Every structure is written in C-alpha cells, then in structure tokens.
Amino acid sequence: MGNNYELYKVFYWAAKTGSLSQAAKVLYLTQPSVSHAIKQLEESFGLSLFYRNAKGVELTQEGAVLYSYIEQSQILITLAEEKMAALKNLDSGELRIGGSDSLFKHYLLPYLEQFHEAHPGVKLHLNHGTTPEIMAFLKEGRIDLGVVRMPIVDSQLEVKESFQLQDCFVAGARYADLKDEVLSLERLLQHPIILFSRNSRARMTITELFQSYGYSIKPEIEVGSVDLLIEFARRGLGISYVTREFVSKELEEGSLFEVRLDVPLPPSHVGILTMRNMPVSSAASAFIRLVR
C-alpha cells in the first residue's frame, strides 16, 4: 500500500490541529485539497479516520492508531532534517583522511589544526598508510579523501586539488664546508647518502634522475621514516634526501642547510584524491577549500 508521504503529512496536521483549515494554512494548501487528501487516505485503508464536529475534525479510534505511528515518523523526519542541517553547517559529523605519516606531520598538520579550530564539532580520523593502501581505503569507503604523491592513474579516483613540494639534499653542521659550494652529482656521491628505505615515489625519482646522468645512487644508510632522515642529517651521519617543506623548521633555525647541486631536482606533486563519482561530504569539501 504505497500512500505517499504528502498524504500522511496532511493527515498529521489535520489531526494535530483538529481543523482542516488550520492544516491547509500550515501546509500552504487549499482546504478542498486537504479534504481530498484525507478522503484518499480513508479510501485506501477502507476506514474512516476522522469525525466531523462543530469545531472541526476529531480522530476516530482507527485514526488515533494511525496517528500514533505517523507522529513518530514526523518526529524522526524533523530530526533527520535538523541532522542534515548540522552536517551542512559542520556542527557535527566526521572527516576521515588517509595519508603518509610524514605528510600528516610535516605538511597537513597546520591545516588540520585550522580545520579543528573552525569546526570543533567534526571528529577527525587520520588513517596512515602507503599510497596503494590509501587508494584501497578510498575504494572501501574507509576514508573521505586521501593525500598522496602524484602521479596516480586510476579511473575510479580523481584528483581534487594538487600542490607542489620540492625534494632536496640537506646536511648538518658536520658538512658545513659544503654550504658555499654548488656540487656536481659526482662530488655529492663522495659523501655518505641517506635515503628513505621503502620503494617510495621520492626514492624512485632520485634513482632515475641520477641514472639519467649516468650515475647510480647507493645509499650508505637507509631509514624507514622521514623523522630519521632529518635526525641522521642533523647528527652528521650523511646527506639526506628529503622534502624541503618537511624540514622548513630545521632550515630556518640553521640545524640543517640545503646542499646545492649543479642540476635541477624535479618538483614532486601531492594530490588530494576522492572517489570519482561519489559526492564529497561537507566536511571533506571544507577541508579541501582550506588546503587551497
């Protein structure tokens, strides 16, 4: 029995106000269309729902049973509308982001702080992972957006926004004599090199770059985190290849300096990924606008 929602709405207001003309006023309808709606409802159930009296209308016993259910559904619908408004205004809800530890810590942290201050009611969930893991999280619906290094070629995903980062070689006080030099690749390779161990995008890029100039870059030390790349360079264990934006603090305070080379290093791009044909939540859209 598919009575449409509009008929129940008319029934609800007629019962609540005890008057067809009041119900018509609330719903911006004419009184005849209110009477017609109630007649349709009564015919579909084969029961009469109202008595007419001098003051207006009053529920029959059957009408009162129907009203007890319809009233609950109206309350739920009102709650649903309020909940939607809260989500739209970002008073509640959640934002689930996937990214690498280093991107969260060294790049996204200030944006996450700003977002949290602006929308304290929105819960933040950060899922750490490698690029393939983050792509899988998106497809499984476990995150709303992923922040990963480009390029990404996947027809199910789309890049909403991308920003540029610059990888570079950095060293600490122990190599201070290199500060004023511009090094050739050959000269650079005379020093111990520290690289990220995982077969990461950055690692592949630098290996390919050196190969294109006829050199092979063999790290003396391989580490599993950006924090160690930074720490080892500061302690003078070698020259680390890191993302410049991740060491801005150390470069500013002078505990690290950038080793200049006579060849340009390619910039790397980071993109914000979402599922291609899925609507982006209000919280996720607000975060993307912030990063822009």
Side-chain angles (χ1 to χ4, degrees):
M1 307 224 353
N3 282 307
N4 78 33
Y5 170 62
E6 296 306 318
L7 296 185
Y8 288 127
K9 211 152 97 177
V10 171
F11 166 80
Y12 171 77
W13 283 102
K16 194 176 161 70
T17 57
S19 145
L20 299 187
S21 56
Q22 283 300 105
K25 208 180 263 167
V26 172
L27 296 166
Y28 300 104
L29 296 171
T30 62
Q31 197 172 328
S33 51
V34 168
S35 305
H36 180 65
I38 286 164
K39 205 167 133 230
Q40 269 182 284
L41 210 48
E42 290 183 323
E43 279 170 7
S44 71
F45 286 124
L47 295 165
S48 61
L49 303 171
F50 290 102
Y51 301 114
R52 321 254 171 226
N53 61 23
K55 288 210 292 269
V57 290
E58 179 186 346
L59 288 166
T60 62
Q61 217 173 340
E62 295 79 6
V65 172
L66 180 62
Y67 183 72
S68 67
Y69 288 100
I70 298 300
E71 184 180 29
Q72 289 174 50
S73 76
Q74 279 298 322
I75 291 167
L76 279 176
I77 287 165
T78 305
L79 283 174
E81 288 169 346
E82 283 166 11
K83 179 74 181 158
M84 289 297 111
L87 287 173
K88 179 171 182 289
N89 301 328
L90 299 180
D91 301 329
S92 66
E94 57 180 9
L95 173 61
R96 302 165 310 154
I97 303 180
S100 68
D101 293 0
S102 53
L103 273 170
F104 279 134
K105 180 174 174 184
H106 299 284
Y107 189 79
L108 291 171
L109 198 60
Y111 296 115
L112 291 166
E113 278 179 311
Q114 278 176 278
F115 183 86
H116 183 65
E117 276 166 27
H119 312 294
V122 178
K123 278 210 279 292
L124 282 176
H125 296 280
L126 305 185
N127 281 11
H128 300 250
T130 60
T131 297
E133 285 168 341
I134 290 158
M135 291 162 75
F137 290 160
L138 262 177
K139 292 175 184 177
E140 291 160 15
R142 287 167 57 183
I143 54 175
D144 305 306
L145 50 93
V147 185
V148 297
R149 288 201 185 228
M150 306 276 72
I152 295 292
V153 183
D154 188 310
S155 57
Q156 287 178 273
L157 304 177
E158 89 174 282
V159 181
K160 273 271 184 286
E161 183 66 26
S162 72
F163 35 93
Q164 194 168 304
L165 300 178
Q166 181 64 54
D167 296 314
C168 63
F169 285 93
V170 296
R174 187 169 171 191
Y175 295 101
D177 56 319
L178 300 179
K179 247 187 193 155
D180 309 316
E181 271 194 64
V182 175
L183 278 67
S184 63
L185 297 187
E186 194 170 0
R187 178 101 168 76
L188 176 74
L189 291 176
Q190 289 163 4
H191 299 86
I193 301 292
I194 308 170
L195 294 182
F196 199 44
S197 55
R198 260 215 327 264
N199 199 2
S200 65
R201 212 21 74 70
R203 172 86 186 250
M204 291 190 279
T205 308
I206 196 64
T207 307
E208 285 165 16
L209 180 80
F210 272 70
Q211 277 168 354
S212 71
Y213 288 104
Y215 294 100
S216 105
I217 183 166
K218 292 209 171 35
E220 191 119 330
I221 302 177
E222 298 189 60
V223 295
S225 77
V226 172
D227 291 335
L228 286 175
L229 278 175
I230 296 171
E231 192 52 33
F232 280 25
R234 281 180 48 194
R235 289 172 183 246
L237 293 167
I239 297 175
S240 286
Y241 182 63
V242 293
T243 302
R244 187 190 287 146
E245 288 77 3
F246 294 175
V247 286
S248 50
K249 185 170 113 260
E250 288 78 3
L251 291 172
E252 250 165 68
E253 68 188 19
S255 61
L256 288 176
F257 66 90
E258 187 174 334
V259 176
R260 288 175 302 158
L261 299 177
D262 63 2
V263 300
L265 294 176
S268 74
H269 292 270
V270 169
I272 297 182
L273 288 187
T274 55
M275 283 299 285
R276 190 172 289 283
N277 296 314
M278 296 281 284
V280 178
S281 73
S282 317
S285 302
F287 183 74
I288 293 169
R289 280 198 302 276
L290 185 70
V291 175
R292 276 184 190 160

